[in-house]
Amino acid sequence: MFRTALRNVLAHKARLLMTVLAVMLGVAFVSGTLVFTSTISDAYQKSSEKGFTGVDVAVEPHRKSSEKDHPGAVPRLGQSLLDQAAKVPGAASATGTVSGFAAVAGKDGKLVGEGFNSSGANYYAGNGGKDPRYPLKSGRAPRGTGEIALDAKTAERAGYKVGDSVRVSVDGPVLTQKLAGIFTTDDGNVAAGGSLALFDTATAQQLYAKPGEFDRIDVKAAAGTSQAALKTSIEKILPKDAEATTAKELADEQSRAIAQSMDGMRTSLLVFAGISLFVGIFIIANTFTMLVAQRTKELALMRAVGASRRQVTRSVLIEAFVVGSVAGVAGLVAGIGIGAGLRSLISGTGATVPDGPLVIAPSTVVTSLVVGIVVTMLAAWLPGRRAAKIPPVAAMNSVHAVATTKSLVVRNTIGGIITAAGAGLVLTASSSTMMGLGAGLVLIGVFVLTPLLSRPVIAAAAPVLRLFGMPGKLARQNAVRNPRRTAATASALMIGLTLITGLTVIAGSVQQAIDKMATGALKADYVVSMASMTPLSTDVEKKLSAHPDVTAASPLRSSPARVDGDHQSLTGVNGTTMGKLTNLDFTAGSFAGLTGDKVVVDDATARTNHWKLGSSFDVTFEDGKKGRLTVGGVFKGNELMRGIWVDKETLAPHQSQIDDRQVMVKVKGGADEKVKDSLAKALGDNPAIQIQTKQDISDGISKAISLLLNMLYGLLAMAVVVAVLGVINTLAMSVFERQQEIGMLRAIGLDRKGIKRMVRLESLVISLFGGVMGVGLGVFFGWAAGDLIKKGISTYELVLPWERMGVFLLLAAFVGVLAALWPARRAAKLNMLAAIKAE
């Protein structure tokens, strides 16, 4: 039986090639994902470990202990603790670190680096006036408030050399600094494309903390002292709001954080790989069903001469094992190439990834082979089992070929139950997990029902097919002749288009909802913020308010607090100008109630806390002082405007460091490019500050959604490619099965052109059937997901992208035409006499 199975594999090379390709693509996606994420994770991990080479024990503030008394406390470490740490037994040296955001402008005035990774820190001049963390490549260490040092990569990208003037923004104001030195560093953020600017310690403390305060103290162990022993010594001098951690513990923690951050990407990519494999299962099952059907008499003869049912099933599974092994190895090789390609693609987009080798873990190799073999054998098991159940005499007389009415009724009943259960879950889903489970059940149920649905849907195309004469009529009959095969072929395309359509519907609806939110809630002409999402200096609001074109301005600043014992965030605003800057619908009170100890809150917060107009509640501010606030207004909130709003003058005395999330601005005559340029000039043409109109905000979010959608299209394209292979496979085998019929048609007068047209139209009908089903299901899922999305985005409404849905149907038609090229040509080239005699 083993030799027979191998012979059958080698006897059907062309047919099984399509199956190998389908499995290989899915496996390649899986292995490529694992190689890519392992490579990136390893590169970041090794890069981060380099950052702890000069540290044995790190002392950091213990935030939780401080927050018990002060909700917004940001504990710091003092100079006295640094001095004590340097003198503990086993310590060779101690270095104080203070850091924050620092955006470096290039010579063209634009931001250098990745924005979020644009950081600033202190150059701690220790013994000999040098900081071992930052070896100087040229120049000297920064001294005084007017000097900085830059990392070598940033200096090279921006074209700076020692002695140049560099514009740097910390939290709003632009500082023009002299470049005193250029240094090298193993900092992971710099390796990943960020920038690092160093100030002298006094200047860095002035910018990021307070004089004499540090964020972290790094202690280097003396020769012969272990990290654990040094940590024990340091813990004896620590205050209650500080803690010591060894460099190994820090590196391990950072490694875990990097691994967790990569898990989301890995999971997302593997989901799409799973979709490709799921589609591939249909093709494999279809392929083996047809291969087994073509060899029915051969299998029956084997049964007649003594082979058992188990041996017949085993023979089919051995074929599947061979095919799966070949596909697994090929997919692994292709996946390694995909992993390397994805890394190059990431670098090509401007995102810098730390250097490192391509990582091919043993688990990746095992997973690829197991996936290829298991998926193929799973898909081949049912056809093999079905073939083994056919009685030898019935098989030899082809009695088995006709599906019984009972089997179709059972199939349709099961499909109806699964579809109904899935639709019920989708319509009543209260979470994305339930929605996903319901969608999966609907897809499976519709697949089971597809043979039933194929006849009426394909029959609807009959009037159009009649225009093509006899080839059109024959194409329709061929498409519905074997509804199960048509269903399996169309379902592969249906799944891909269902996902693409559903995502497009949801993305378009979310984009419109955000447009409504931005234009509906804001009266302000501009919203000013840092490109890095870090806080703005209060100087920004002062300069904007003093601008001659500005008629109203207000900051939005956050302050942590405890409200009735629960952690909350208070938003400080200008109570006198917010009415001119926002367009909020108040259900009670108004902005007139936003003054002194009176606040306004969104309706959701009011409902949660059982507040109404005039309600009072206790509050503990970030400095630990207690107070009592009164609700002076309740407004309908949204994702942009919500929470507890307090007048900034009431909040300011309780804030240790005042900074703004953003500043809203209203100008004379509305938004205008000249006014925007004038505002930017007033802020010193700061590269880190963005001045956005309502449309800019909406466009920025839309751009992010479009980018994500295009990435998803690219990933789902793999499933569509697999579906194309399925259509080609089905048509090729269908042509092989119908050799006698095609030969007879040629003999009675249908020319080669007519044969080609018949096969192409059959392919077109099957592909469009899958396309219609996919687009229809995608719209259904997009509509059903609306209730879940409305919980997060109140302005969400269903938007049907008719143009894109039309493109998807054209894509399905194109798939049909493309897939039919080779089978149609093969059918037309058949020798009519040889075909008629074929068995």
Side-chain angles (χ1 to χ4, degrees):
M1 294 302 295
F2 181 74
R3 286 197 302 271
T4 302
L6 289 180
R7 187 202 67 195
N8 286 326
V9 170
L10 297 174
H12 304 290
K13 299 182 186 73
R15 295 175 230 165
L16 290 174
L17 178 62
M18 294 295 180
T19 307
V20 170
L21 283 173
V23 183
M24 185 198 78
L25 285 172
V27 173
F29 211 156
V30 172
S31 59
T33 296
L34 295 176
V35 168
F36 171 68
T37 52
S38 296
T39 298
I40 299 298
S41 180
D42 182 72
Y44 275 111
Q45 186 171 324
K46 287 181 177 176
S47 178
S48 67
E49 287 172 356
K50 288 180 181 178
F52 298 111
T53 52
V55 182
D56 287 303
V57 175
V59 179
E60 295 178 302
H62 198 308
R63 292 178 180 272
K64 291 184 180 179
S65 63
S66 301
E67 287 181 355
K68 291 178 182 178
D69 302 317
H70 306 290
V74 182
R76 304 279 185 182
L77 307 173
Q79 182 68 45
S80 60
L81 182 59
L82 174 62
D83 295 337
Q84 291 179 61
K87 296 176 183 177
V88 297
S93 62
T95 303
T97 299
V98 60
S99 59
F101 174 76
V104 178
K107 291 184 176 180
D108 58 358
K110 294 181 180 178
L111 182 67
V112 179
E114 297 295 323
F116 286 100
N117 291 327
S118 298
S119 53
N122 67 310
Y123 186 95
Y124 189 84
N127 295 332
K130 294 182 179 181
D131 190 333
R133 299 172 299 175
Y134 309 114
L136 288 166
K137 185 177 180 181
S138 61
R140 57 172 175 77
R143 300 169 190 163
T145 57
E147 295 183 348
I148 63 163
L150 287 179
D151 69 272
K153 288 187 176 181
T154 299
E156 183 181 353
R157 274 183 293 176
Y160 286 127
K161 59 182 184 295
V162 173
D164 286 347
S165 293
V166 181
R167 296 172 69 246
V168 183
S169 171
V170 175
D171 59 0
V174 179
L175 308 174
T176 300
Q177 307 285 97
K178 179 184 177 182
L179 183 58
I182 297 173
F183 60 90
T184 58
T185 177
D186 290 325
D187 188 288
N189 286 332
V190 174
S195 63
L196 177 60
L198 297 180
F199 304 87
D200 73 326
T201 298
T203 303
Q205 288 174 332
Q206 184 181 350
L207 292 171
Y208 300 125
K210 289 181 179 178
E213 290 187 344
F214 298 95
D215 297 325
R216 194 174 86 182
I217 296 172
D218 295 332
V219 186
K220 180 70 177 172
T225 304
S226 67
Q227 291 185 355
L230 181 60
K231 178 183 175 183
T232 302
S233 298
I234 290 174
E235 284 177 338
K236 295 176 181 178
I237 64 167
L238 293 183
K240 66 176 183 178
D241 60 352
E243 59 184 346
T245 311
T246 65
K248 185 179 183 306
E249 290 170 340
L250 285 173
D252 291 343
E253 184 180 342
Q254 198 155 31
S255 296
R256 284 193 295 271
I258 291 169
Q260 288 176 357
S261 68
M262 296 302 295
D263 280 345
M265 181 190 294
R266 182 185 288 112
T267 302
S268 300
L269 290 172
L270 286 175
V271 165
F272 291 101
I275 292 167
S276 294
L277 285 171
F278 188 57
V279 172
I281 285 176
F282 291 117
I283 298 170
I284 300 162
N286 214 15
T287 301
F288 276 93
T289 298
M290 288 185 281
L291 285 174
V292 169
Q294 290 170 12
R295 295 187 355 241
T296 299
K297 290 186 179 181
E298 176 191 329
L299 294 175
L301 183 60
M302 291 172 63
R303 289 286 312 282
V305 297
S308 65
R309 289 184 177 182
R310 189 171 294 178
Q311 285 178 310
V312 171
T313 305
R314 196 180 300 150
S315 171
V316 176
L317 290 177
I318 290 171
E319 289 183 52
F321 176 81
V322 173
V323 172
S325 299
V326 173
V329 171
L332 173 62
V333 174
I336 293 171
I338 289 174
L342 283 173
R343 177 172 175 166
S344 299
L345 183 65
I346 292 259
S347 300
T349 59
T352 309
V353 178
D355 294 329
L358 201 65
V359 177
I360 306 167
S363 59
T364 300
V365 177
V366 173
T367 301
S368 300
L369 293 176
V370 169
V371 166
I373 293 169
V374 169
V375 165
T376 309
M377 293 185 71
L378 184 68
W381 175 74
L382 191 59
R385 187 168 175 268
R386 191 185 298 133
K389 283 187 174 182
I390 301 168
V393 175
M396 289 180 183
N397 289 287
S398 300
V399 176
H400 70 287
V402 180
T404 63
T405 304
K406 180 181 177 182
S407 69
L408 290 174
V409 169
V410 170
R411 176 174 178 141
N412 293 338
T413 302
I414 293 172
I417 292 171
I418 294 173
T419 304
L425 272 177
V426 168
L427 294 173
T428 59
S430 57
S431 67
S432 56
T433 303
M434 281 182 65
M435 176 68 71
L437 177 62
L441 287 175
V442 169
L443 280 174
I444 294 170
V446 170
F447 167 70
V448 176
L449 286 174
T450 308
L452 176 68
L453 299 171
S454 64
R455 290 185 178 276
V457 174
I458 292 175
V464 178
L465 291 174
R466 287 196 194 102
L467 299 175
F468 296 93
M470 185 55 66
K473 182 179 180 181
L474 291 171
R476 184 184 66 81
Q477 291 174 349
N478 290 333
V480 296
R481 177 187 296 180
N482 191 334
R484 291 184 178 182
R485 182 192 303 163
T486 298
T489 307
S491 294
L493 189 59
M494 177 190 76
I495 293 169
L497 288 180
T498 295
L499 294 167
I500 289 173
T501 305
L503 290 170
T504 303
V505 169
I506 292 171
S509 302
V510 167
Q511 184 170 334
Q512 179 174 285
I514 291 168
D515 281 338
K516 281 187 179 179
M517 195 185 301
T519 56
L522 287 176
K523 282 184 185 176
D525 295 309
Y526 295 105
V527 176
V528 180
S529 62
M530 295 289 282
S532 60
M533 305 306 293
T534 52
L536 281 165
S537 166
T538 53
D539 287 348
V540 171
E541 189 231 339
K542 292 174 184 175
K543 289 180 180 179
L544 290 172
S545 297
H547 194 280
D549 290 323
V550 173
T551 59
S554 173
L556 268 74
R557 57 183 62 151
S558 294
S559 176
R562 281 202 303 274
V563 175
D564 288 336
D566 296 326
H567 285 279
Q568 291 273 9
S569 180
L570 303 178
T571 301
V573 297
N574 187 330
T576 60
T577 60
M578 283 302 287
K580 301 175 183 178
L581 298 166
T582 59
N583 190 26
L584 297 176
D585 185 9
F586 276 81
T587 58
S590 67
F591 275 122
L594 183 55
T595 179
D597 60 355
K598 290 185 178 180
V599 301
V600 297
V601 300
D602 69 281
D603 50 353
T605 302
R607 281 195 304 271
T608 301
N609 293 281
H610 307 290
W611 293 338
K612 57 185 180 179
L613 190 66
S615 297
S616 295
F617 55 89
D618 294 321
V619 61
T620 302
F621 294 99
E622 68 174 82
D623 61 353
K625 293 184 179 179
K626 300 182 184 298
R628 192 162 182 81
L629 301 175
T630 303
V631 177
V634 179
F635 62 88
K636 290 183 179 178
N638 57 44
E639 287 62 41
L640 295 178
M641 302 284 177
R642 61 183 176 185
I644 304 171
W645 291 9
V646 186
D647 188 85
K648 64 174 184 172
E649 302 303 328
T650 302
L651 197 59
H654 303 286
Q655 293 181 279
S656 57
Q657 184 173 344
I658 302 174
D659 44 38
D660 301 328
R661 268 199 336 261
Q662 58 188 39
V663 178
M664 294 188 290
V665 180
K666 185 79 175 171
V667 297
K668 298 173 184 176
D672 179 82
E673 278 301 318
K674 289 182 180 179
V675 175
K676 184 176 180 179
D677 292 340
S678 178
L679 294 178
K681 190 173 182 180
L683 297 176
D685 290 319
N686 192 323
I689 291 181
Q690 55 184 5
I691 303 173
Q692 295 178 296
T693 63
K694 289 181 283 188
Q695 192 59 48
D696 290 335
I697 295 171
S698 179
D699 289 346
I701 298 172
S702 298
K703 186 178 178 181
I705 292 173
S706 297
L707 179 62
L708 178 62
L709 198 58
N710 289 334
M711 289 175 62
L712 296 177
Y713 283 165
L715 294 171
L716 287 171
M718 185 73 78
V720 175
V721 170
V722 174
V724 171
L725 292 174
V727 178
I728 296 173
N729 212 11
T730 300
L731 288 173
M733 293 193 172
S734 179
V735 167
F736 179 82
E737 284 182 355
R738 304 202 311 260
Q739 286 186 78
Q740 283 187 333
E741 176 188 320
I742 292 170
M744 190 64 70
L745 289 170
R746 289 288 316 283
I748 61 175
L750 191 63
D751 59 10
R752 290 185 175 181
K753 191 175 180 180
I755 294 292
K756 284 184 179 180
R757 185 175 296 165
M758 177 187 74
V759 176
R760 287 171 184 163
L761 288 173
E762 179 185 349
S763 176
L764 185 63
V765 166
I766 292 173
S767 296
L768 281 174
F769 169 54
V772 169
M773 296 286 291
V775 170
L777 282 173
V779 170
F780 169 70
F781 291 141
W783 167 76
D787 288 337
L788 279 181
I789 298 172
K790 277 183 181 177
K791 294 178 181 178
I793 305 177
S794 57
T795 53
Y796 181 90
E797 288 181 7
L798 181 68
V799 176
L800 294 180
W802 294 105
E803 290 182 2
R804 290 205 178 188
M805 290 193 295
V807 170
F808 297 154
L809 289 176
L810 287 175
L811 174 65
F814 175 73
V815 165
V817 173
L818 181 68
L821 291 177
W822 179 63
R825 189 178 177 187
R826 182 183 177 191
K829 281 188 173 183
L830 284 174
N831 183 294
M832 67 179 77
L833 294 178
I836 290 170
K837 288 192 295 181
E839 229 179 275

